[in-house]
Amino acid sequence: MNLAAAASTTSTGEAVQFWLLAIVAVGGALGTVLMKRAVHSALSLAGTMIVLAVFYLANGAYFLGIVQIVVYTGAIMMLFLFVVMLVGVTAADSLRETIRGQRLLAGLCVLGFGVLLFAGIANASLHEFNGLGQANAGGNVQGLAALIFTKYVFAFEITGALLITAAVGAMVLTHRERTERAATQRELAERRVREGKQLPPLPAPGVYARHNAVDVPGLLPDGTPSELTVNKTLRARGQIRDVSKETLAELGRLEQRSRAWLRRGTSEDQKGANAK
């Protein structure tokens, strides 16, 4: 059976499934590149990976489909997403180039990859179509293992070596050797005294504010918020809640209730003394 005959046997459901999911996959891939927020890009890439897993499952590659969902979408992409959320990357981050010419180099790499991709697709040929039944005759996992460790063993090993090299290179780039002796605790304390910095620990947020959240500044005795009680990062992002007016109003009501209670207690004591 040639390729044309194999393509003509595709059912209507398979064709509808392919074209619908292909639109979703391409849209997610474009969203990964074009989205301004890193969180949205990570979610778009996760959606594209899920669609690829559906393609694998629809074509009988059950092992690849499950691995695509569990490993890539469930582990790696969620790790990226949580890291981005914890780091707090926003659209306000600096977009200046830290390496000169990196955009030009990236454009050349994309152009070269595109040429190789189109050349590979143009030169691809399929003389015969074996079908899923023959490919998975001994089992999907067994057939995949036979291809990886026989026909594509060198490509598999080279890919593994590249991934290991990339991981080791990332660790080397992030590691910094200490070039000078680490300062002792006494030296650090003396330096803080000479520089006139805050010597005791910083006051905790929410002091006298009747709130213990990290984004609520503590109040001074006069009711004004203290700048030292909240993180500078939260203040730069505008994520500080000002509860000084609310707290002062509550304290005023509390003082009024206290005065009323004291007056009532004094009047009752006087009545008791007069009765005696």
Side-chain angles (χ1 to χ4, degrees):
M1 181 183 297
N2 54 20
L3 182 59
S8 62
T9 58
T10 302
S11 62
T12 305
E14 291 177 345
V16 171
Q17 176 194 20
F18 172 79
W19 288 110
L20 290 179
L21 294 180
I23 295 174
V24 176
V26 174
L30 293 176
T32 303
V33 180
L34 301 179
M35 286 291 183
K36 295 183 178 180
R37 294 183 177 272
V39 176
H40 297 166
S41 297
L43 290 175
S44 300
L45 185 56
T48 302
M49 289 185 174
I50 293 176
V51 173
L52 293 179
V54 175
F55 282 150
Y56 292 147
L57 294 174
N59 287 291
Y62 306 112
F63 180 77
L64 288 179
I66 298 301
V67 168
Q68 181 77 16
I69 294 177
V70 175
V71 177
Y72 287 96
T73 307
I76 298 178
M77 280 310 306
M78 292 302 104
L79 177 62
F80 289 167
L81 183 60
F82 285 133
V83 168
V84 168
M85 293 173 64
L86 290 175
V87 171
V89 179
T90 62
D93 293 337
S94 177
L95 299 178
R96 293 183 304 174
E97 295 187 14
T98 57
I99 302 176
R100 294 182 179 180
Q102 62 179 354
R103 293 189 179 183
L104 178 60
L105 181 60
L108 294 176
C109 292
V110 171
L111 181 62
F113 179 77
V115 171
L116 291 176
L117 180 62
F118 282 107
I121 295 176
N123 294 327
S125 61
L126 184 62
H127 300 287
E128 58 181 7
F129 185 78
N130 296 326
L132 296 177
Q134 183 176 354
N136 297 331
N140 179 250
V141 178
Q142 291 81 354
L144 182 63
L147 289 176
I148 290 177
F149 294 106
T150 55
K151 185 177 181 180
Y152 301 103
V153 61
F154 292 106
F156 179 74
E157 294 296 336
I158 292 174
T159 304
L162 290 176
L163 292 177
I164 294 175
T165 304
V168 174
M171 290 187 291
V172 170
L173 291 176
T174 55
H175 178 71
R176 294 183 179 179
E177 294 289 343
R178 184 177 295 274
T179 58
E180 58 183 9
R181 182 181 63 85
T184 62
Q185 186 175 3
R186 181 181 181 85
E187 292 174 349
L188 292 176
E190 293 176 352
R191 185 188 306 171
R192 294 178 65 181
V193 172
R194 288 193 299 267
E195 295 175 355
K197 294 184 177 180
Q198 178 78 14
L199 297 182
L202 294 177
V207 178
Y208 301 116
R210 306 186 69 179
H211 293 268
N212 59 355
V214 296
D215 59 346
V216 176
L219 300 181
L220 298 175
D222 59 351
T224 58
S226 175
E227 300 290 338
L228 299 176
T229 56
V230 292
N231 195 320
K232 295 181 180 179
T233 303
L234 296 178
R235 183 171 299 281
R237 293 178 180 175
Q239 298 176 348
I240 302 300
R241 291 189 297 164
D242 186 8
V243 296
S244 56
K245 298 180 180 179
E246 176 187 353
T247 304
L248 290 177
E250 291 181 359
L251 290 176
R253 289 191 294 267
L254 179 61
E255 290 178 356
Q256 292 178 358
R257 290 195 298 267
S258 300
R259 294 193 189 99
W261 184 83
L262 291 174
R263 292 196 192 98
R264 184 180 61 184
T266 303
S267 60
E268 290 179 354
D269 293 340
Q270 290 178 355
K271 290 180 180 179
N274 294 334
K276 292 180 180 180

